[in-house]
């Protein structure tokens, strides 16, 4: 059975910043369902979108990614 690996930490950073998926969706002009998929790691944002998310959340883009090591 294949397990999905958590690639991004968007949900964790949202919790740390006391923000919601809905808030992030509004800031980015995206559908809340899209942001939800990013938070559950069922889909991944593009690199450009990840940079935009980092700017909105005022974090380094590296904070949004799990280490590959």
């Amino acid at each position: 059975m294949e397990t999905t690996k958590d690639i991004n930490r968007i949900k964790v950073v949202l919790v740390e910043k006391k923000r919601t998926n809905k808030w992030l969706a509004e800031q980015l002009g995206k559908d809340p369902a899209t942001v939800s998929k990013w938070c559950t790691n069922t889909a991944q944002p593009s690199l450009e979108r990840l940079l935009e998310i980092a700017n909105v959340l005022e974090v380094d883009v590296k904070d949004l990614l799990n280490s590959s090591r």
Side-chain angles (χ1 to χ4, degrees), residues 5 66-69:
K5 185 169 172 133
N66 277 320
S67 174
S68 61
R69 294 185 184 197

Side-chain angles (χ1 to χ4, degrees), residues 5-42:
K5 185 169 172 133
D6 290 348
I7 296 171
N8 74 60
R9 300 180 65 249
I10 295 171
K11 184 174 182 77
V12 175
V13 175
L14 281 171
V15 170
E16 289 171 352
K17 296 283 186 174
K18 296 179 176 56
R19 299 290 186 178
T20 64
N21 294 9
K22 183 179 177 188
W23 175 86
L24 183 58
E26 289 170 358
Q27 300 303 306
L28 299 172
K30 297 297 278 181
D31 186 336
T34 301
V35 175
S36 179
K37 287 178 183 177
W38 296 340
C39 289
T40 59
N41 277 282
T42 54

